[in-house]
Amino acid sequence: MVELTTESAGVLQLIYRSHSRIPRTDRPTVLAEIFRQARAHNRELGITGALLLTDHYFVQVLEGSPSAVNELYERIGADTRHEALEVLETTTVPARTFPRWSMAEVSAVGHADIPLHALGNEIHARAATALTGDQRAVLARMRNTIGADLV
C-alpha cells in the first residue's frame, strides 16, 4: 500500500504511470468499459483527474481526499489490464486542478487534449474546454514522464 499523506486543508494530487497490457485490437472496447466504470466510481469517491493514453502507457493524475485517492490507487494497482505501476508524484494542492474532469484522455504531442466519454461500447471525443495554466503544467509533466513531448 502506498502511504499518502496530506495536510488537513487542500487536495491530494497523485500522478502514476503504468504499462498497458491491453492488445491494440481490444482497446476501443476495453477503454470504453474503463471510462464508464471509472467515471461512475470517481464521482462516488469525489475523485477528479486526467488520463494520458498511449500505445504502451497510462499516466494518470488523481485528485481528492487522501483516503479516496488511496482507495482508488489500490484498486487501480489490482487491475490486470496494466503492469509496472509507479507513483511519480504526490502533492497537496490548495484546490483541484481538474475540478470538472472525472476522466479525460490527454493526447500526446501535436494534438489537442481530448476529453472523452463512453457511448455504447466505444469512447468518443467530447467538446474541449479551454485549459488553465495549472492544467497545462500538470498535463505537460504527465506527457514528459513517458517522453510524449519528445516523440
Side-chain angles (χ1 to χ4, degrees):
M1 180 163 104
V2 173
E3 287 300 318
L4 305 176
T5 59
T6 187
E7 302 166 7
S8 59
V11 175
L12 181 66
Q13 189 177 74
L14 179 143
I15 300 174
Y16 76 88
R17 171 180 61 204
S18 65
H19 187 264
S20 175
R21 298 183 70 212
I22 303 169
R24 179 182 290 268
T25 56
D26 296 342
R27 284 186 192 142
T29 302
V30 172
L31 292 175
E33 184 61 23
I34 288 171
F35 276 64
R36 226 183 340 274
Q37 290 174 351
R39 283 200 163 144
H41 192 250
N42 290 359
R43 249 190 314 272
E44 186 178 295
L45 288 176
I47 299 282
T48 57
L51 174 66
L52 183 147
L53 302 168
T54 70
D55 285 343
H56 304 289
Y57 290 100
F58 293 101
V59 182
Q60 187 169 25
V61 57
L62 304 171
E63 300 175 324
S65 72
S67 61
V69 170
N70 193 24
E71 177 184 329
L72 181 56
Y73 183 76
E74 292 297 318
R75 183 176 173 171
I76 289 167
D79 191 326
T80 59
R81 295 173 287 200
H82 62 159
E83 60 193 2
L85 196 68
E86 176 185 7
V87 173
L88 303 170
E89 288 182 27
T90 58
T91 188
T92 300
V93 293
R96 293 173 190 265
T97 303
F98 302 95
R100 295 182 179 192
W101 296 24
S102 61
M103 176 75 72
E105 176 189 22
V106 181
S107 63
V109 68
H111 301 285
D113 295 320
I114 308 167
L116 299 178
H117 65 101
L119 182 61
N121 289 325
E122 294 186 2
I123 51 176
H124 300 277
R126 284 184 26 189
T129 57
L131 298 174
T132 67
D134 287 343
Q135 288 171 335
R136 281 191 296 276
V138 171
L139 298 176
R141 288 199 316 271
M142 291 170 67
R143 286 187 196 98
N144 288 338
T145 69
I146 58 168
D149 282 341
L150 305 174
V151 176

